Amino acid sequence: MMPLSSVFSFVVTSLLFLSICSAADTHEDLVQCLYNYSHNLSSISKVVYTQTNSSYSSILHSSIQNPRFISNTTPKPLLIVTPQELSHIQAAIICSQRHDKQIRIRSGGHDLEGLSYVAQVPFIIIDLINLREIEIDVKKSTAWVQSGATVGELYYRISEKSKTLGFPAGLCPTVGIGGYISGGGYGFLMRKYGLAADNVIDAQIVDVKGRFLDRKSMGEDLFWAIRGGGGASFGVIVAWKIKLVQVPSTVTVFRVPRTLEQNATNIIHKWQLVGNKIDENLSINILLHRVNSTEKKELTIEAVFQSLFLGGVDELIPLMQESFPELGLKKEDCVEMSWIESVLYVNGFPSGQSLQVLLNRTQTITGSFKAKSDFVRNPIPEFGLQGLWPMFYEDGAQGAIMTLFPYGGIMDNISEYKIPFPHRYGNLYLIQYSVHWQQEGDEVAQKHIGWIRRLHSYMEPFVSNSPRAAYANYRDLDIGVNNKGYTNYKQARIWGFKYFKNNFNRLANVKTKFDPLNFFRNEQSIPSLLPETSQYKTQSRV
């Protein structure tokens, strides 16, 4: 940890730096600062969009993945910077500090609470959409991927170079790599290879001083923090070097639905006992939602068991018959394909769909949504599951989904301190709760949000406790937020321990070392440990 004397020296130096060029607090001055700082005036002018620019709205809306944050009353950035080179990021960081403006960093726009493009104070957006280059090294099984690339673009570029290499990332192809990896990163390969963040071997970041750092120059503390601790608390992550993983030339997938009338409750209960213990080459997720029963012509609950197996169907069927016969999987339920084709399958794309659909950055889910998460360490009893079902029949549950992601495999063998993501050994599975709605209006939104909060409350006795854990990439401001003014460590730990458990303390120490004045901040950013009197007081704090 940086000695306190060094921290205060950094503070004094930074205050002097920020006072060099004090100017009227207007966005015109901020734009002029960007132009003055940039080494190439013509290049910076092409990537700065003010509210008077004709392309401003289209640029802003292009990466908003949750229409809940697209209303006329939603705060808008003073300007948007879409950097094409390193100096554009450096200029945005330095000038935002000089003019007391906050920064929001957007790679794919999938932050579930919109924090990558919304703030309650004057702010700008650094949108990394132009920084999306991907370089694959098949011989070394590595890749450099810039933060503005999407998961789908990464998958596609890997598939261009190799049929037996993959990466343990997520299900949704439109998610931006920058935020996804910095929060951890789940996927169907997690039980075999861990999280996306577990497979990062280098990174490039621009820090609060505008310095461009790689793993060697940033040091192991900062490199540790950005792999699962949320990169936006520490700087602008430009690119990641990742380790690619081996996948067989043939994998097997299946999607098997079971309703309550088809004994779904008992099958789910058994899945809880075997899902984390089954062969690490097999991952079986469960998607729970309400449907119209074909038998009783009324609402019922459907559990969809969807799976990826790293092997052929002739190997999978005996494995399922031995470990999970309750599902009743048959050979005709399964489809053999390549790993990259399985990416399309689990996303619901029709058979024969071109792989180029992975290059589409437009969100496939329409409507607004709210999400929450939980970790389950002990099987939910059948009565607990049965108590869930009536809640799915309520009006607010229209468009509601619960997704269960199994643990086990390599996740049981990785230390909870290896990276900031602590949710390892002892978890049976992760739950994501989400509810979606199409209609506009606050009354409709509150009906659905109120429903998911009641569902979350109902689940409390059945999930982790002390703390009740949550997944940082499933951002949820209900679990706690920072003040608009100074927030001390004790208050921030209310939400911080839920995401990071005891790793939150180390994250705060890294923050104090690299961003003691807490420039990179939002409603759930890691706090600096410096007392309020030592932090530079601005009018634009969150």
Side-chain angles (χ1 to χ4, degrees):
M1 178 178 173
M2 179 187 253
L4 197 58
S5 59
S6 298
V7 172
F8 280 107
S9 175
F10 178 92
V11 172
V12 172
T13 302
S14 298
L15 288 175
L16 289 173
F17 168 74
L18 292 170
S19 65
I20 290 174
C21 211
S22 61
D25 188 19
T26 66
H27 75 274
E28 289 87 357
D29 293 325
L30 177 57
V31 171
Q32 189 59 51
C33 178
L34 292 171
Y35 288 174
N36 291 342
Y37 189 89
S38 176
H39 302 301
N40 187 332
L41 183 60
S42 62
S43 72
I44 190 71
S45 65
K46 297 176 182 178
V47 301
V48 175
Y49 301 86
T50 67
Q51 294 180 354
T52 59
N53 188 292
S54 60
S55 299
Y56 172 88
S57 293
S58 62
I59 295 294
L60 175 62
H61 295 164
S62 64
S63 295
I64 293 181
Q65 305 291 354
N66 190 347
R68 179 177 156 211
F69 303 109
I70 205 170
S71 71
N72 291 332
T73 59
T74 303
K76 305 297 189 296
L78 295 173
L79 56 91
I80 304 168
V81 180
T82 58
Q84 294 179 340
E85 56 188 61
L86 186 63
S87 67
H88 298 160
I89 299 176
Q90 294 167 320
I93 291 174
I94 297 303
C95 292
S96 293
Q97 291 178 79
R98 289 181 177 180
H99 294 278
D100 291 343
K101 300 297 183 290
Q102 282 194 17
I103 280 179
R104 291 293 184 266
I105 307 160
R106 185 166 72 175
S107 54
H110 277 266
D111 185 297
L112 299 188
E113 296 283 12
L115 298 192
S116 64
Y117 51 87
V118 176
Q120 301 302 318
V121 294
F123 72 107
I124 74 168
I125 292 176
I126 297 179
D127 191 320
L128 301 175
I129 189 170
N130 291 324
L131 298 178
R132 47 206 276 205
E133 292 183 5
I134 300 170
E135 296 180 1
I136 308 294
D137 188 329
V138 174
K139 290 184 178 180
K140 295 182 179 179
S141 296
T142 62
W144 272 105
V145 50
Q146 290 187 320
S147 289
T150 64
V151 168
E153 288 172 332
L154 174 60
Y155 286 161
Y156 183 85
R157 298 307 174 196
I158 294 173
S159 73
E160 284 186 316
K161 300 292 185 178
S162 171
K163 305 306 179 186
T164 56
L165 287 176
F167 186 68
L171 308 184
C172 180
T174 58
V175 169
I177 284 292
Y180 175 77
I181 293 180
S182 72
Y186 269 82
F188 264 114
L189 298 180
M190 180 188 74
R191 301 187 68 247
K192 177 76 170 182
Y193 293 112
L195 305 174
D198 291 326
N199 292 276
V200 172
I201 53 181
D202 203 345
Q204 297 172 338
I205 187 173
V206 181
D207 72 357
V208 70
K209 295 181 179 179
R211 298 177 300 181
F212 178 66
L213 308 172
D214 61 7
R215 178 175 183 173
K216 182 178 180 180
S217 55
M218 77 174 76
E220 289 303 301
D221 281 345
L222 183 54
F223 184 62
W224 174 86
I226 62 177
R227 291 176 294 152
S233 291
F234 303 97
V236 178
I237 299 172
V238 179
W240 303 93
K241 186 178 184 181
I242 57 176
K243 178 176 62 178
L244 304 181
V245 301
Q246 293 292 320
V247 293
S249 56
T250 299
V251 303
T252 305
V253 294
F254 65 77
R255 185 182 295 116
V256 176
R258 293 289 185 263
T259 64
L260 296 185
E261 294 76 20
Q262 296 169 322
N263 207 25
T265 303
N266 292 334
I267 300 173
I268 294 167
H269 188 263
K270 179 58 186 292
W271 173 88
Q272 294 182 104
L273 304 176
V274 303
N276 70 313
K277 298 180 179 66
I278 208 164
D279 190 297
E280 66 179 8
N281 290 300
L282 175 60
S283 183
I284 307 173
N285 296 353
I286 303 178
L287 185 150
L288 302 173
H289 63 149
R290 80 184 194 192
V291 296
N292 290 314
S293 172
T294 56
E295 298 176 10
K296 296 184 178 181
K297 306 301 180 183
E298 59 186 26
L299 290 178
T300 188
I301 305 301
E302 182 180 73
V304 181
F305 295 81
Q306 54 181 16
S307 176
L308 170 66
F309 175 62
L310 300 177
V313 65
D314 290 337
E315 185 182 356
L316 172 62
I317 294 299
L319 176 61
M320 288 292 291
Q321 290 174 342
E322 177 184 356
S323 302
F324 194 18
E326 291 79 5
L327 184 60
L329 183 71
K330 301 176 182 178
K331 190 171 183 177
E332 50 266 33
D333 296 322
C334 304
V335 184
E336 291 184 331
M337 56 183 59
S338 67
W339 171 77
I340 191 63
E341 290 171 334
S342 77
V343 172
L344 301 186
Y345 178 90
V346 298
N347 275 282
F349 291 113
S351 177
Q353 176 75 58
S354 169
L355 292 179
Q356 289 193 342
V357 71
L358 295 174
L359 302 178
N360 184 358
R361 298 178 66 95
T362 304
Q363 171 67 294
T364 55
I365 299 175
T366 60
S368 299
F369 62 89
K370 167 70 178 175
K372 302 176 84 65
S373 62
D374 264 319
F375 290 89
V376 178
R377 301 180 67 85
N378 296 294
I380 300 173
E382 287 194 34
F383 76 83
L385 295 172
Q386 290 166 348
L388 268 177
W389 310 145
M391 300 190 71
F392 275 82
Y393 302 144
E394 298 175 9
D395 287 345
Q398 186 176 8
I401 300 171
M402 274 180 62
T403 308
L404 318 182
F405 301 90
Y407 256 70
I410 197 174
M411 291 294 283
D412 284 342
N413 299 316
I414 299 176
S415 167
E416 66 180 33
Y417 304 108
K418 178 189 175 185
I419 63 174
F421 180 95
H423 313 291
R424 306 285 188 172
Y425 179 79
N427 287 299
L428 301 182
Y429 56 95
L430 164 71
I431 302 176
Q432 184 194 43
Y433 315 91
S434 63
V435 63
H436 304 253
W437 61 95
Q438 299 292 333
Q439 305 93 329
E440 298 180 0
D442 187 63
E443 183 177 347
V444 173
Q446 290 309 312
K447 178 179 70 173
H448 291 283
I449 293 172
W451 177 85
I452 200 172
R453 286 171 176 165
R454 291 195 305 276
L455 176 69
H456 192 252
S457 178
Y458 169 83
M459 290 294 292
E460 185 171 6
F462 308 115
V463 298
S464 62
N465 58 71
S466 300
R468 182 177 183 177
Y471 176 33
N473 267 356
Y474 294 160
R475 179 92 68 184
D476 181 10
L477 297 186
D478 290 348
I479 70 174
V481 295
N482 295 336
N483 296 328
K484 284 190 176 181
Y486 170 76
T487 301
N488 61 32
Y489 174 83
K490 184 177 180 180
Q491 179 177 343
R493 77 189 297 273
I494 293 173
W495 60 263
F497 264 57
K498 296 172 184 176
Y499 287 146
F500 306 112
K501 299 171 69 172
N502 289 324
N503 288 332
F504 188 64
N505 179 56
R506 183 178 175 186
L507 285 169
N509 277 289
V510 176
K511 173 72 170 184
T512 307
K513 177 179 179 180
F514 287 95
D515 184 20
L517 303 183
N518 198 25
F519 171 68
F520 291 107
R521 61 189 182 270
N522 58 51
E523 286 84 345
Q524 284 186 345
S525 59
I526 306 299
S528 169
L529 295 176
L530 287 186
E532 181 177 13
T533 54
S534 300
Q535 292 193 28
Y536 180 59
K537 298 177 179 62
T538 69
Q539 297 178 352
S540 56
R541 291 187 174 186
V542 166

